[in-house]
Amino acid sequence: MRDRAWIFIGLAAFLALALAPVWQSALHGAARKPEPKIVTKAKQCVEPTAEMRRNHMELLNAWRDTVVRRGQRTYLAADGKTVTMSLSGTCMSCHPNKKEFCDACHNYLAVSPYCWECHIEPKEKS
Amino acid sequence: MRVVWSLLLVGVLALIAFFGAQAGGQALFGIVLPYLAMAVFLVGVAARVVGWARSTVPFRIPTTCGQERSLPWIKPASLDNPSTGLGAAARVLLEVFTFRSLFRNNRSELREGGRFTFSADKWLWAAALAFHYSFLVVFLRHYRFFAEPVPAVVAWIQGLDGFFQVGLPVVYVSDIVLVAALGYLLWRRLADARLRYISLHADYFPLALILGVALSGVLLRYFSKADIVAVKELAIGLVSFHPAVPKGIDPLVFVHIFLVSVLLTYFPFSKLVHMAGVFLSPTRNLANDNRMHRHVNPWNPPIVGHTYAEWEQEFHDKLVASGIPLDKE
Ligand code: HEM
């Protein structure tokens, strides 16, 4: 009776909220998908690209543990190459454009690795 | 054995999506079914709510756990037994946010030596609270797949949720709590013979299904990592109505999405609609003011009164003839 108005207001609010992503995409237009920019002349990453794309954080985690806990600094990649396990020293030497590379993907998915609180970011023009 | 069937059913659904997506059903599991499920969910929940709104509530149900408002020197329990609309709204919100009615859960047991005991049992309340809040956090965090730019709140929630910074990708506390709470809620129904006896498929299936969704999600994040940049493309395509399945989406993602679609479709027809229903529980949302206001039953026929004066008028002559004294005069 008297309360019906409240129920319908609540229902309308729920439906509006449930479709929030639709309104947001209508307002902001179609989202651009990130295109991480490769600037190095190297042909290959440490591991195959598809592998890196999904698993780079696990690789970094393994590197961190191996260096900090076991004191080993050399990584043997699947293809037999060896690289020094270092975030700033290795990854960022081939990918010095953090803003256009790492952050391009990370901002898209609101990932914000806390590594840079300690590790040095490559200097870039913003 | 009902629990086994529910778990099996969820397992079969997962396998259907896993192999179906690899056999070329990507558009089906990634686009068609999610759209259908969302439509069924929204229309279904709305239809249930409209149905409830149209049914008449004849009388305020005074099932309460506190002192009713009466004489000025008796202290009323204004939240447990509210006499105003505002108090009733507060009672509903407290129920929604803190599950007070589960807090009152009791356990009665026949102990050794024939002793019958009653005791408070807070485990159901604690596990239900843990489950619902972790689900909410996981749900809100998922907003990052559907919005560009991602709202700042979502980033804060992620930061708080990953506070302990264990491993990479950072372990979310809500994932652990969600799976643990679901596990307890399922175990609870199985451990007690009486509870097992009254538990139906309708009780096990939602638990098993949500467990399936959560476990496939956990697998995706921590173990068999998916290319979630591609997943976001898919999700954005869905919400902007330009659906397309990008390359490189793992079959496990389709399992996750399919189980969510099943959950959404099942939602309006099952006990899960309590999400909308809590707000409309008559024992929570009606103020107990039966003794302060007259509540007229809306379907009562209009009462045709016949006062003494009218009666006297009707039989006036007969009354006079038999010498009965009249009020009038
Ligand atoms: C009721 C709805 C859902 C529930 C309860 C749920 C649950 C979960 C859980 C518990 C995780 C583990 C990681 C985390 O917490 O972030 C997860 C991950 C994930 N979910 Fe869901 N999910 C739901 C809906 C969806 C939908 C609709 C999508 C489609 C876009 C989706 C895509 C994913 C992906 C891609 C991951 C992996 C995330 C990562 O690697 O960080 N989920 N889900």
Side-chain angles (χ1 to χ4, degrees):
Chain A
M1 294 291 114
R2 233 171 340 110
D3 298 335
R4 234 175 242 175
W6 289 109
I7 299 178
F8 288 128
I9 290 172
L11 183 61
F14 166 73
L15 292 178
L17 220 59
L19 294 173
V22 175
W23 313 137
Q24 193 177 344
S25 87
L27 279 177
H28 287 266
R32 35 150 207 102
K33 84 174 221 243
E35 269 145 20
K37 204 165 132 199
I38 305 288
V39 289
T40 171
K41 291 202 185 66
K43 289 268 155 11
Q44 248 249 38
C45 198
V46 178
E47 297 286 352
T49 313
E51 185 68 18
M52 288 308 287
R53 203 177 164 86
R54 287 146 206 251
N55 283 338
H56 60 277
M57 50 317 244
E58 292 197 334
L59 181 74
L60 282 170
N61 200 28
W63 281 19
R64 177 170 66 175
D65 287 355
T66 323
V67 170
V68 178
R69 304 221 173 120
R70 280 193 263 135
Q72 286 168 24
R73 284 179 189 269
T74 320
Y75 176 73
L76 181 65
D79 62 359
K81 271 186 309 192
T82 53
V83 284
T84 309
M85 290 187 258
S86 171
L87 175 57
S88 301
T90 308
C91 305
M92 305 324 276
S93 71
C94 283
H95 301 295
N97 53 337
K98 176 169 171 289
K99 290 204 178 68
E100 287 174 319
F101 185 72
C102 312
D103 293 352
C105 288
H106 293 170
N107 291 344
Y108 184 60
L109 281 152
V111 188
S112 47
Y114 57 89
C115 322
W116 314 108
E117 288 167 20
C118 301
H119 289 266
I120 297 174
E121 287 181 56
K123 284 208 180 63
E124 285 179 81
K125 282 173 267 139
S126 53
Chain B
M1 284 309 91
R2 286 183 275 235
V3 64
V4 177
W5 286 114
S6 294
L7 290 170
L8 267 180
L9 183 55
V10 173
V12 169
L13 289 173
L15 287 179
I16 289 176
F18 190 80
F19 292 109
Q22 278 163 310
Q26 299 207 333
L28 179 67
F29 290 106
I31 296 172
V32 179
L33 292 179
Y35 272 142
L36 273 178
M38 198 62 196
V40 170
F41 172 72
L42 292 178
V43 175
V45 169
R48 293 294 299 258
V49 171
V50 170
W52 288 323
R54 289 161 56 92
S55 56
T56 33
V57 179
F59 199 68
R60 320 229 134 189
I61 306 170
T63 315
T64 57
C65 303
Q67 172 63 47
E68 177 179 9
R69 161 155 233 109
S70 62
L71 297 168
W73 42 271
I74 297 177
K75 199 167 160 248
S78 47
L79 282 177
D80 279 318
N81 198 344
S83 58
T84 60
L86 206 64
R91 178 167 67 178
V92 171
L93 286 184
L94 274 176
E95 178 67 34
V96 168
F97 286 113
T98 65
F99 305 177
R100 294 175 88 220
S101 52
L102 285 186
F103 194 68
R104 304 197 178 101
N105 186 31
N106 290 323
R107 208 185 152 74
S108 47
E109 260 170 318
L110 200 54
R111 295 274 168 96
E112 273 169 60
R115 218 155 54 86
F116 192 61
T117 60
F118 279 107
S119 54
D121 181 6
K122 304 288 186 221
W123 286 106
L124 173 60
W125 170 77
L129 214 56
F131 161 68
H132 281 86
Y133 273 101
S134 51
F135 191 108
L136 178 68
V137 168
V138 169
F139 183 81
L140 291 178
R141 275 201 286 95
H142 271 67
Y143 199 67
R144 72 174 170 149
F145 294 121
F146 296 94
E148 174 65 31
V150 181
V153 213
V154 175
W156 296 337
I157 298 176
Q158 282 183 80
L160 270 182
D161 203 354
F163 181 76
F164 295 107
Q165 300 187 333
V166 178
L168 286 182
V170 171
V171 172
Y172 287 135
V173 176
S174 57
D175 288 353
I176 298 173
V177 175
L178 179 64
V179 174
L182 278 169
Y184 172 77
L185 290 172
L186 197 58
W187 175 81
R188 189 186 76 95
R189 288 193 176 273
L190 297 172
D192 183 341
R194 286 173 296 172
L195 206 52
R196 198 163 59 234
Y197 183 69
I198 58 167
S199 296
L200 307 173
H201 289 299
D203 298 310
Y204 290 122
F205 183 64
L207 278 174
L209 188 59
I210 298 175
L211 201 60
V213 173
L215 287 180
S216 58
V218 164
L219 267 170
L220 277 176
R221 180 173 170 83
Y222 305 104
F223 301 100
S224 138
K225 326 231 0 122
D227 179 358
I228 65 175
V229 175
V231 174
K232 181 158 184 175
E233 263 182 86
L234 171 70
I236 292 276
L238 287 178
V239 299
S240 59
F241 298 106
H242 296 291
V245 181
K247 272 198 294 256
I249 296 193
D250 302 54
L252 195 60
V253 173
F254 291 105
V255 172
H256 192 60
I257 295 179
F258 180 56
L259 290 181
V260 173
S261 307
V262 173
L263 183 67
L264 287 174
T265 314
Y266 180 64
F267 205 95
F269 309 103
S270 67
K271 67 176 194 175
L272 296 173
V273 262
H274 72 270
M275 178 180 86
V278 257
F279 294 96
L280 300 179
S281 15
T283 62
R284 302 289 98 189
N285 67 9
L286 292 174
N288 185 9
D289 55 1
N290 290 326
R291 300 183 180 188
M292 297 159 74
H293 300 288
R294 179 148 189 253
H295 296 283
V296 179
N297 195 348
W299 61 68
N300 280 351
I303 294 171
V304 189
H306 198 52
T307 61
Y308 183 73
E310 285 162 355
W311 182 82
E312 202 180 73
Q313 189 69 38
E314 190 181 339
F315 295 103
H316 181 267
D317 298 347
K318 292 200 168 100
L319 291 168
V320 172
S322 42
I324 295 173
L326 298 178
D327 273 5
K328 248 184 349 189
E329 271 137 51

